[in-house]
Amino acid sequence: MSEQTATGVAILGGGCFWCVEAVYLEVRGVTRVESGYMGGHVVNPTYEQVCGAATGHAEVVRLEFDPSVISYRDILQIFFTIHDPTTQDRQGNDVGPQYRSVIFTQDAEQEATARQVMAEMAAVWDAPIVTQVLPEETWYKAEEYHQNYYAQHPMQGYCAFVVAPKVAKFRKTFQQFMK
C-alpha cells in the first residue's frame, strides 16, 4: 500500500479569476483549480451580484496542489509575479473590491509564509504591496461557465488581451514550474 501524499490548498485573488485560473492550470503539481468567491457577506453569491461590488466577495481561485512537487511558497511567488499586488481593488481596467489582491490562509503557517513572501516581493515592486492576508472563509464555487474559461475561449477579447499576456509571463518567468 503506497503512502498518501497530503494535498495542499491555496486560495488566491488577483483580479479576474479567469487570469489566475489560467496560469495555475499550467503549474506542475497543481492538481485542481476552481474559480469562485470568498470574503463576502452574501450566501451563495452569483457572478452578477459579485460584479455589482456590494457582496464583499473577491473573485478567487482555489488550488489544490501536491506539496512534494510545488511548495506553497512557490505558488505565492508565482502569484506575486502574475498580478499587480500594489493596486487597491483593481487589476488593469478591472476595478472594484471583487478584484482586490487577497490571500485567504488556512492556518498560521500559511499566514506566516504569505507575509514572508510579501516582504520579500516588496523589493520587486515600485509601490507598496496592498495584498490582504485573511483567514479562509466560506468558499463559493463560481458558475460552471467560469471554470476553465481561458482554455475554452482563448480568442475572446478579454482572454486574448488580458489573460494571454499573464499566461505568457508565467511561461517565460517560471519555466521550471510548467507542466
Side-chain angles (χ1 to χ4, degrees):
M1 191 168 187
S2 66
E3 220 176 273
Q4 184 76 14
T5 303
T7 298
V9 173
I11 302 169
L12 310 170
C16 175
F17 46 33
W18 297 342
C19 297
V20 180
E21 176 194 65
V23 167
Y24 285 102
L25 283 169
E26 296 196 1
V27 175
R28 185 172 29 85
V30 172
T31 57
R32 184 182 184 120
V33 183
E34 289 183 322
S35 290
Y37 316 109
M38 188 172 280
H41 58 273
V42 173
V43 176
N44 294 317
T46 65
Y47 180 67
E48 290 74 22
Q49 288 174 316
V50 172
C51 285
T55 70
H57 291 90
E59 289 189 14
V60 296
V61 294
R62 183 181 183 280
L63 314 173
E64 292 181 9
F65 64 96
D66 180 344
S68 71
V69 177
I70 189 164
S71 69
Y72 183 67
R73 165 179 284 283
D74 290 333
I75 285 171
L76 293 179
Q77 287 175 328
I78 293 167
F79 175 69
F80 281 109
T81 302
I82 61 165
H83 87 292
D84 182 349
T86 69
T87 54
Q88 188 74 45
D89 293 343
R90 83 175 301 149
Q91 285 296 302
N93 291 330
D94 292 332
V95 179
Q98 69 272 28
Y99 301 119
R100 68 189 180 269
S101 178
V102 61
I103 301 167
F104 287 99
T105 60
Q106 301 213 308
D107 54 33
E109 184 179 347
Q110 278 194 350
E111 179 184 355
T113 301
R115 295 196 185 281
Q116 183 178 24
V117 171
M118 281 174 57
E120 293 165 6
M121 295 301 289
V124 174
W125 293 94
D126 294 335
I129 291 177
V130 298
T131 303
Q132 296 174 322
V133 178
L134 302 169
E136 176 184 23
E137 296 183 24
T138 302
W139 160 258
Y140 298 102
K141 184 177 176 182
E143 296 81 351
E144 202 53 45
Y145 70 92
H146 289 296
Q147 308 304 322
N148 204 17
Y149 192 87
Y150 175 67
Q152 294 178 42
H153 308 282
M155 301 314 292
Q156 187 256 8
Y158 187 90
C159 290
F161 293 106
V162 179
V163 182
K166 291 180 186 260
V167 172
K169 183 175 187 178
F170 162 73
R171 290 174 180 165
K172 180 179 180 188
T173 308
F174 294 103
Q175 292 179 5
Q176 74 273 25
F177 295 124
M178 288 179 57
K179 287 185 179 175

